[in-house]
Amino acid sequence: MKGLVCIVLGATACLLDGRVSAQTGDILQNAINTPGVSYSVYGAGQTNKPVKADVVGGHALQITIPAATPNVWDVGASSPITKPIAKGDKIVIAFWVRAPKLKADATTPISFAGVALAAAPYTPLVSGSANVGRDWKLEHIAGIAAADAAGGTAMVSLHLGAAKAMLEFGPVFVLDLGKAGRSKSS
């Protein structure tokens, strides 16, 4: 999995710099979203704004959650997935994130980070969680899709209501590596 994260890092740098080489192009053919800082944020009390950031692409979305919410999903962010997902495919979600106001060794939780259907009942297809620190980190969640989803019916879903926090999100990538993790482009 560490190698896959390195590939995504390299692909991120090339894509956002506009120079996708043949070497990194293969992995980007597996992207099922439009990689970038394309988040929709929801929830009472939260504020969000685009900011310049020292992260790949130079931009991030800053989200401030003033207090923990009764349900972790009461505040969240999502990003659309444009292509279909097949049950049993290996899906990897990778996103840049930091919590710049934290003390050096502290973290704040993202209790759910994954792919879900974009309409009720918002069924999770791949799920995980993350603990976010002060410095930029490429978080990744990988799993096997629990169900099919037609193009445009799934989304990256991040539940952010677990704690008071200021979070900054850089580019998000969603890769579909096919059955048993075999690249769909091969």
Side-chain angles (χ1 to χ4, degrees):
M1 185 56 65
K2 186 175 181 182
L4 180 60
V5 171
C6 290
I7 290 170
V8 171
L9 279 170
T12 303
C14 290
L15 176 71
L16 294 175
D17 195 31
R19 296 183 302 242
V20 179
S21 70
Q23 182 179 7
T24 59
D26 287 345
I27 195 71
L28 291 177
Q29 290 176 14
N30 294 312
I32 57 174
N33 72 325
T34 301
V37 183
S38 56
Y39 299 94
S40 296
V41 184
Y42 63 89
Q46 61 78 23
T47 59
N48 64 84
K49 64 182 179 181
V51 294
K52 289 186 178 184
D54 187 22
V55 67
V56 173
H59 296 91
L61 181 65
Q62 184 180 86
I63 304 170
T64 302
I65 301 104
T69 59
N71 303 297
V72 295
W73 58 84
D74 289 343
V75 173
S78 64
S79 185
I81 295 174
T82 56
K83 295 184 180 176
I85 297 172
K87 180 179 181 177
D89 281 359
K90 183 168 187 176
I91 305 297
V92 178
I93 305 106
F95 57 95
W96 288 97
V97 64
R98 73 176 182 162
K101 300 284 184 180
L102 289 178
K103 293 182 180 173
D105 294 332
T107 62
T108 191
I110 296 176
S111 57
F112 178 89
V115 171
L117 294 180
Y122 305 102
T123 305
L125 303 179
V126 173
S127 62
S129 61
N131 285 308
V132 180
R134 181 172 69 181
D135 298 320
W136 283 111
K137 182 179 176 188
L138 181 65
E139 289 288 345
H140 67 281
I141 309 296
I144 305 301
D148 292 334
T153 66
M155 65 181 174
V156 173
S157 180
L158 304 167
H159 295 172
L160 307 176
K164 175 182 177 176
M166 175 193 283
L167 300 167
E168 292 181 352
F169 289 92
V172 59
F173 287 80
V174 185
L175 304 174
D176 186 334
L177 302 179
K179 301 289 185 234
R182 290 189 306 271
S183 173
K184 291 179 89 170
S185 63
S186 45

